[in-house]
Amino acid sequence: MSASDPSTATAIAAAIADGRTTARQAVTAALDRIGRLDDKVGAFTDVLSARALARADAQDAARREGASPGPLAGVPFAVKNLIDIDGLPTRAGSKINRERPPAERDGALVRRLEAAGAILVGALNMGEYAYDFTGENIHDGDAHNPHALDHMTGGSSGGSGAAIAAGMVPLTLGSDTNGSIRVPAAFCGCYGLKPTYGRLTRAGSFPFVGSLDHLGPMARSVTDLALAYDAMQGPDPDDPVATLRPAEPVLPRLEAGIDGLRVAVAGGHFARNGDPEAFAAVARAAEALGARRTVELPEAHRARAAAYLITAAEGATLHLDRLRTRPQDFDPAVRDRLIAGAMIPAPHVERAQRFRRWYRARVLELFETVDVILAPATPCRAPRGGQTHFVLDGVTLPVRANIGVFTQPISFIGLPVVAAPVRLDAGLPLGVQIIAAPWREDLVLRAARHLERTGVSAAPIAELDR
């Protein structure tokens, strides 16, 4: 592997471990590519060249003195700008947050990745306060889909998906409240893991909806997802919802295949309200995984509605002071939805939470007879930038409100999901959700790895250098 070639995190770490390249060469290659391409893509809001090169040099020096390289040795990575970075204000995609004092230390997941040898090179563009499904931002400029620059990345982790698809870095972190890792992974054609709620600490990140927020990795390969996920696991007293379960590494079983894996396809809500290509992608993945059943998540449409209520109400509560004092500094589309959320009657939210408990219990019953459930990640391929409406099943609908039609009923109850890209043709990417019971990230990653190994799933780098 040439250090100047974009590659996977796994390949970079292996090349550094056996001396074929150095951490400085890997980081320099990433910084060079960011410098060449980001004016087109808009993935980064902050590039940390000096910090990254200093840490690369320190890592190379330690290696020369006999230190063992970590599993992510020298791997450049970047994080959504709602995750704390020492010395920078945590923007969360907003104008207002730029005036916050700089973070005094990195977020917990940044520290864990760097402890494994990865090197942070920057912060990534996102939708304001994570209340976004498009990847558009009026303060920092829109992120652009590297596979077609006039199309959306999806959001709110749009910069995280775009940076992977453009080959700028092999690994990023995003957040997912209602689909904000899975949507950009699908639109940009990369892999994304939304872990079980509470599995990865959120300490050192700016919240959106505390009862729904997850952090997770995005990458160009399933092995990279597994490497990053294993490095970030573990309890954290600084996040009150972080699980006390010990780390359960997934990498040792990643190549175990799918023998004995009971795979089903989600019907009902997940078989309507989308373009034929979205369902064709699921069918292709189902065939490769030997799916034999169709199951229906009960009342999934109501789950989506309840997720909307909880998101709007909790999000509004978080931002009430800013809404009162600085309404003009919000993206109007975000501000208006937050104001609407502030007016939702409390009994409606309480009813949504009661339904949530019922729905979770019913969905968990399905996992008594199946191990993995497949569903579309998005109802269509990436819309064009600035597009406000699309047609689904013959009905004209708002884009922003309906991109998450298939992701919201899953994150609503905190299940682990891998979004895996499936290419049916030369058009823009499509994605499928691979869903399992809580704490079974090993199963969704094994299924995704099988799709990758058989060629059904792949995450090519967009050809932006032409």
Side-chain angles (χ1 to χ4, degrees), residues 407-429:
T407 54
Q408 288 173 293
I410 308 304
S411 44
F412 181 58
I413 51 174
L415 303 181
V417 189
V418 165
V422 175
R423 278 188 176 270
L424 299 176
D425 50 39
L428 288 170

Side-chain angles (χ1 to χ4, degrees), residues 290-358:
R292 298 285 181 264
R293 293 181 54 191
T294 298
V295 296
E296 187 161 345
L297 279 65
E299 303 285 353
H301 64 291
R302 288 183 64 197
R304 183 176 177 232
Y308 260 120
L309 276 174
I310 293 168
T311 297
E314 284 195 33
T317 300
L318 177 68
H319 292 287
L320 277 178
D321 286 344
R322 283 177 282 271
L323 289 167
R324 291 188 183 109
T325 60
R326 299 187 61 173
Q328 74 282 359
D329 290 329
F330 282 83
D331 176 339
V334 173
R335 178 195 61 215
D336 293 350
R337 280 177 290 149
L338 289 172
I339 290 172
M343 295 187 287
I344 296 173
H348 287 25
V349 180
E350 193 275 335
R351 184 178 178 186
Q353 293 285 19
R354 280 191 286 112
F355 169 77
R356 184 184 190 181
R357 292 189 289 274
W358 176 89

